[in-house]
């Protein structure tokens, strides 16, 4: 039945198409604090799908820090009006020190940071060269900037070089540090060399590396001892390993001043609540001191991979906390996720358009708050589910 409004008709059609394709997304209701176990839609489940890699999101001391630093609920306005508080400023100073850069700038979310940075740095006539598997916000930022967008095959530095060589205007080379749906690392050394040779700026989105990798969790760029010269634009989020919310960009005085002047998602939005900024600074203190948690996370990653190999389950070449299990068809990924949920494990099925056609997968994420017995139990349930569905030994490697 069609309505008087073409938009409404089109939306109904699109929603139905999503259902028919097994790609309809649904939210589950979580009760209580984040942690390795969650009460979801009334049932207690082992949580293997959060980005809370160090187990800080539900930390009672940090929740207490948030409550006790709340001078006022809101920041009142954007940073450039009257919303830039001492708490924001101190957090930026801490982030600059941690990343070894002259300055850092806070954004309300990582999505906004990526949109803002690319749009502020390049425009019509310039070129953005990106990895095909970069996060959606990096892609959208490039589209918003109106620069020419070129995408190279995943982690293929030679292809990136070809695209840069023929590129017009100012050139920005952009990569995720740790790829969010695959868990593998960018070939950062080679990309940094390429950027230098081609007089391009390299931007790294380290949403999944900051807090987990490198000395004191300073991220994937610090892990390789690369500095400001190699990676002039370093971006990371605060809602993953840091356990809080928001994001930042770190770099030179010129970069940060340019973002303040020209990054529209920075300029035209309300600053994050100051209490959140204050509590995030305490969370960063926990991140710096979390060597034991990082080591335990690494042990769980190895255990997970060894157990999967023992069960002959397909794995992807990731050695980070993101351990995707390739499945292939959307319906199979959904059925496997449902199977695990029945057995008490919450793992989301990732389907197109988030990943390429035919590469649906379970995105298993490990955190320092998990324990060995639960990881082993997860692999046992996974093997059972994959065998029951005829998936073990298949999939994309
Ligand atoms: C690689 C990457 N960049 C950026 C973002 C966006 O960050 P935020 O959640 O803070 O908007 C995400 C995920 O959320 C991500 O995985």
């Amino acid at each position: 039945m069609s309505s008087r409004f073409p938009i409404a008709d089109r939306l109904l059609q699109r929603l139905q198409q999503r259902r028919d394709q097994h790609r309809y997304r649904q939210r589950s209701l979580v009760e209580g604090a984040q942690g390795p176990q969650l009460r979801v839609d009334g049932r207690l489940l082992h949580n293997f799908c959060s980005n809370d890699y160090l187990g800080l999101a539900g930390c009672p001391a940090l929740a207490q820090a948030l409550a006790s630093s709340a001078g006022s609920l809101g920041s009142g306005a954007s940073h450039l009006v009257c919303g830039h508080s001492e708490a924001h400023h101190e957090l930026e100073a801490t982030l600059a020190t941690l990343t070894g850069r002259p300055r850092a700038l806070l954004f309300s979310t990582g999505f906004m940071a990526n949109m803002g940075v690319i749009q502020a740095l390049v425009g019509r006539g310039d070129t953005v060269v990106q990895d095909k598997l970069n996060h959606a916000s990096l892609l959208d930022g490039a589209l918003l900037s109106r620069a020419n967008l070129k995408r190279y095959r995943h982690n293929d530095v030679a292809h990136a070089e070809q695209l840069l060589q023929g590129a017009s205007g100012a050139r920005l080379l952009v990569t995720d540090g740790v790829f969010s749906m695959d868990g593998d690392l960018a070939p950062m050394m080679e990309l940094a060399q390429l950027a230098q040779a081609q007089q391009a700026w390299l931007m790294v989105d380290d949403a999944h590396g900051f807090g987990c990798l490198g000395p004191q969790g300073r991220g994937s760029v610090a892990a390789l001892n690369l500095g400001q010269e190699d990676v002039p634009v370093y971006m990371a989020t605060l809602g993953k390993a840091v356990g809080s919310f928001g994001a930042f960009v770190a770099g030179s005085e010129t970069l940060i001043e340019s973002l303040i002047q020209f990054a529209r998602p920075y300029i035209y939005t309300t600053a994050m609540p100051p209490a959140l900024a204050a509590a995030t600074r305490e969370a960063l203190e926990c991140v710096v001191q979390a060597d034991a948690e990082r080591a335990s996370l690494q042990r769980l990653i190895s255990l997970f991979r060894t157990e999967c190999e023992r069960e002959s389950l397909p794995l992807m070449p990731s050695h980070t906390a993101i351990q995707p299990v390739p499945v292939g068809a959307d319906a199979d990924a959904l059925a496997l996720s449902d199977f695990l949920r029945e057995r008490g494990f919450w793992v989301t099925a990732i389907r197109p358009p988030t990943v390429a056609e035919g590469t649906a997968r379970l995105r298993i994420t490990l955190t320092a708050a998990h324990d060995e017995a639960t990881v082993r139990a997860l692999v046992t349930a996974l093997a059972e589910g994959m065998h029951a569905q005829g998936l073990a030994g298949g999939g994309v490697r």
Side-chain angles (χ1 to χ4, degrees), residues 51 53 107-114 133-138 175-181 205-208 235-240 245-247 322 363:
N51 302 314
Y53 304 121
F107 280 78
S108 297
T109 72
F111 207 105
M112 292 165 74
N114 283 339
L133 297 192
N134 274 356
H135 191 258
S137 52
L138 293 168
T175 185
D176 279 13
V178 175
F179 286 86
S180 54
M181 296 300 137
D205 172 343
D206 208 19
H208 300 275
M235 174 273 179
T237 65
L238 302 166
K240 296 183 170 61
F245 184 77
I322 302 167
R363 179 179 183 267

Side-chain angles (χ1 to χ4, degrees), residues 97-298:
T97 307
L98 259 181
T99 54
R101 315 275 153 148
R103 283 184 71 186
L105 190 74
L106 259 186
F107 280 78
S108 297
T109 72
F111 207 105
M112 292 165 74
N114 283 339
M115 302 262 282
V117 172
I118 300 181
Q119 164 259 311
L121 298 189
V122 289
R124 227 186 274 280
D126 296 331
T127 306
V128 181
V129 174
Q130 297 208 24
D131 190 293
K132 276 205 167 156
L133 297 192
N134 274 356
H135 191 258
S137 52
L138 293 168
L139 179 64
D140 287 2
L143 293 172
L144 186 72
S145 75
R146 298 191 174 88
N148 300 314
L149 169 63
K150 297 177 185 235
R151 299 167 81 197
Y152 57 90
R153 287 183 294 275
H154 180 49
N155 278 348
D156 185 337
V157 181
H159 191 205
E161 184 173 17
Q162 263 175 28
L163 297 180
L164 275 171
Q165 273 166 351
S168 63
R171 288 165 298 172
L172 185 64
L173 177 60
V174 188
T175 185
D176 279 13
V178 175
F179 286 86
S180 54
M181 296 300 137
D182 290 50
D184 55 346
L185 299 170
M188 204 93 74
M189 286 285 189
E190 291 89 331
L191 289 174
Q193 280 162 10
L194 173 63
Q196 290 283 340
Q198 294 291 325
Q199 293 167 313
W201 257 15
L202 176 60
M203 170 178 181
V204 173
D205 172 343
D206 208 19
H208 300 275
F210 187 67
C212 292
L213 304 176
Q216 298 180 311
R218 289 165 194 253
S220 62
V221 173
L224 295 172
N225 232 339
L226 292 174
Q228 159 90 18
E229 289 284 300
D230 311 291
V231 181
V233 189
Y234 180 76
M235 174 273 179
T237 65
L238 302 166
K240 296 183 170 61
V242 182
S244 181
F245 184 77
F248 69 96
V249 176
S252 66
E253 184 71 25
T254 309
L255 171 70
I256 301 304
E257 279 305 311
S258 303
L259 296 179
I260 294 173
Q261 304 306 318
F262 307 120
R264 291 161 65 89
Y266 179 78
I267 301 167
Y268 299 109
T269 200
T270 303
M272 70 161 64
L276 189 59
T280 304
R281 206 158 152 248
E282 302 216 7
L284 285 172
E285 195 49 48
C286 300
V287 168
V288 165
Q289 289 173 12
D291 279 348
E293 284 76 6
R294 277 181 286 274
S296 124
L297 177 56
Q298 216 47 55

